[in-house]
Every structure is written in C-alpha cells, then in structure tokens.
Amino acid sequence: MTDPIPPKRIFPDAKVDAQAAKQIRTSAQTEDPAYRLAFQDNDFLLRQDLRPVRFQLELLKPELLLDEQQIGSTFVFYGSARVPEPAKAEAQLNAARTDEERVIAERLVAKSHYYDVARELARLVSKTDRDDEGKRHFVVCSGGGPSFMEAANRGAQDVGAESIGLNIVLPHEQLPNPYVTPSLSFQFHYFALRKMHFLLRARAVAVFPGGFGTFDEMFELLTLIQTGKVRPLPILLYGREFWNRVVDFEALVEEGVISERDLDLITWCETAEEGWAHVCDHYARQQAGRAA
C-alpha cells in the first residue's frame, strides 16, 4: 500500500470565491458596498486607513513577479527625463526662438551624447549570462520614462534582453517608454516603495545628469552606503563637467559635513566601457577576497 498523498490545500482559491461572488442573486443586501469581498472593493482599498496595506501591496507585487521571472540582480540607471537623444536635441536647438531657449538647448545638446553612452552601457551589461540557478543578473532597470531611462531600456532591447521599468503616477501623463519589457513594467503610487525596488536587487548604479529626482535617488543611495545601511556597490557618475558645475563635492569635504573617503563611493565615468570595466573589477576583487 502506497502512502497517501494529502491535498496541497483545503481552502478554496480566492479566484474561485471571487468568481462565485459575481454569480449570486441580487438583493438589497448584496447590492450594498458592505457585502463586497474586501479584496475586490476598490473604494475600501483606497481608504486612508488602508495606506499600510497599499504600502505592502506595492512592495509585494513587483517582488513576487521579479522572483517569478528569475531576476537575481539589476543594473540601475538614474538620470534626467528631459535630455533628448542627440538628433532631437539638435532639432530643439534649431527650433529655439529666444536667447534663453538657445542657451538651454545648447546645454541639452552638450549632455545628449550621454544618451548614446547609457544605451551602450545597457547593451554591455545585458549580455551577462544566467547563473547556475538560471537567474539573470545585471538586468537593466530604469524609471521607465524618457531620455536616459529610455536609452537604458533601448540598449537592453538592442541585444534581445529584457529590462525593467519602474514608472510612477504623476499629475502629468507619463507613459512607460516603448523599450521596457511589458511583463517587467511596473507602476507605483508611492515614491518610497518605487525607490525601495530600485535598490533591493541593485548591484550597480549608473547616474547620468539629472534634476531633483536624480539628486534624490543618488544622494539617498550615497547616504545608505555612508551609514552602513547598504553594502558598497559601484556607483558610476557620468558627466563630470555637469556634476561639478551643479554640486561642489570638494566643498562638502572642506565644510566638514562629509569625509574625504566618502568621495570614494563615486566612480567618475565618461564611456560605457570604462563603467562596465569598473563594475566587473569591483566584483572580481570581491570574489578574490572571499576566496582568500
């Protein structure tokens, strides 16, 4: 006699109950919102009191789906949503009508070549092989929007690789760029949860010229590493001329608010090749250290 095999579960699947709930006869009771299944009641889920539950859902949904798709680690790209690719930047310069518009357009042109750098870097990192468990590593992850984010997802697509887009609901429309893999395109309500997902699997980060959002993401990561909340990982900072113009890093040291060694958290880069070489060297040294 063979040993009995118990069923995997004894409670009905939530999908079954949800379907059954749609087929009940209507009455004054069943028509009232109070009778809806809690997880199907959007008005209930959107109540102020349910914010902790929504936090949990925004943490859990991408985590489960990324696990299911064997995403072991990511290579995160931060940068402006306003710097167009070179051809479009030139067109914007040609369309400038005032001196102010022309000066801004010229500066966008000067930064636009980093679109091609981000795209090439994404191509390089996306060729990483799966590990022995079948997990994918250094999967390109961007904010899912235009400019440098688009360049990153586009570079991954160039070599037939999937890439992630973490979009955010904003007052003005922001659709995912067309190069994000649809099954890896996520939308967030909470900036905090989106930022958390940027870093949960991050094993390298490339930061391109950007504004408030880029500053926020980069300095939060630097703070997490500086304070020991996150292990050191490669942070590639592209566009030294831009960054030194908008942030005086040395002055922070001179003012005593950061230490000289904190600047070592940043690796200055200009090309895709030198950025990827630094990442490879960083992890090669780590492996050698563990072996020793």
Side-chain angles (χ1 to χ4, degrees):
M1 179 178 178
T2 58
D3 292 333
I5 301 175
K8 292 182 178 179
R9 58 186 297 158
I10 59 173
F11 288 98
D13 190 289
K15 289 182 181 179
V16 175
D17 274 0
Q19 189 62 36
K22 295 179 181 179
Q23 299 172 0
I24 59 175
R25 289 177 295 175
T26 61
S27 68
Q29 292 75 24
T30 63
E31 288 298 301
D32 194 273
Y35 197 75
R36 295 174 192 156
L37 289 169
F39 56 81
Q40 287 188 316
D41 188 343
N42 283 338
D43 291 334
F44 173 68
L45 290 174
L46 295 175
R47 286 173 55 154
Q48 188 77 6
D49 319 62
L50 271 290
R51 177 179 286 172
V53 175
R54 294 195 298 273
F55 268 48
Q56 185 177 16
L57 290 173
E58 286 212 339
L59 175 63
L60 193 58
K61 181 181 177 181
E63 183 72 4
L64 291 176
L65 295 180
L66 291 171
D67 275 345
E68 289 170 0
Q69 298 201 44
Q70 297 289 292
I71 308 297
S73 67
T74 58
F75 197 120
V76 174
F77 286 69
Y78 291 145
S80 174
R82 302 188 184 195
V83 180
E85 60 183 294
K88 292 180 180 178
E90 288 289 348
Q92 193 169 324
L93 175 59
N94 294 333
R97 292 291 177 265
T98 67
D99 289 343
E100 183 181 5
E101 287 179 355
R102 193 168 294 105
V103 168
I104 292 174
E106 286 171 350
R107 288 176 177 164
L108 289 175
V109 167
K111 292 184 287 289
S112 66
H113 77 279
Y114 289 113
Y115 180 102
D116 292 333
V117 174
R119 184 175 176 182
E120 178 58 25
L121 179 60
R123 290 191 192 110
L124 291 174
V125 308
S126 295
K127 295 175 183 177
T128 305
D129 293 330
R130 291 175 181 260
D131 66 17
D132 294 338
E133 297 178 353
K135 292 187 181 294
R136 289 173 285 180
H137 291 281
F138 296 117
V139 176
V140 166
C141 177
S142 84
S147 189
F148 298 124
M149 294 174 279
E150 175 189 282
N153 297 116
R154 188 176 181 180
Q157 190 183 87
D158 287 342
V159 294
E162 295 181 329
S163 67
I164 302 165
L166 306 181
N167 222 253
I168 185 82
V169 177
L170 296 174
H172 53 278
E173 183 180 21
Q174 179 177 308
L175 292 174
N177 70 66
Y179 305 103
V180 177
T181 301
S183 63
L184 295 173
S185 183
F186 301 99
Q187 183 175 211
F188 291 84
H189 172 69
Y190 298 106
F191 265 108
L193 274 298
R194 177 180 183 246
K195 289 163 70 176
M196 192 167 186
H197 275 293
F198 270 128
L199 298 181
L200 281 174
R201 285 174 167 77
R203 297 299 178 268
V205 175
V207 186
F208 290 85
F212 289 162
T214 304
F215 275 55
D216 177 39
E217 292 155 347
M218 178 180 74
F219 281 109
E220 179 176 59
L221 174 56
L222 289 171
T223 302
L224 288 170
I225 297 175
Q226 181 198 50
T227 56
K229 289 293 187 180
V230 169
R231 293 179 185 174
L233 73 160
I235 301 175
L236 314 177
L237 198 52
Y238 281 87
R240 191 164 194 152
E241 182 179 350
F242 166 82
W243 286 109
N244 280 336
R245 180 170 184 266
V246 297
V247 181
D248 193 335
F249 291 100
E250 293 294 340
L252 293 174
V253 176
E254 292 167 3
E255 292 290 333
V257 292
I258 66 171
S259 67
E260 184 75 36
R261 67 176 179 274
D262 289 330
L263 297 183
D264 294 336
L265 298 177
I266 295 169
T267 299
W268 294 100
C269 295
E270 289 298 323
T271 69
E273 291 77 13
E274 66 177 328
W276 182 228
H278 173 74
V279 173
C280 293
D281 180 63
H282 174 89
Y283 287 105
R285 283 187 281 108
Q286 272 197 4
Q287 289 176 336
R290 286 195 294 267

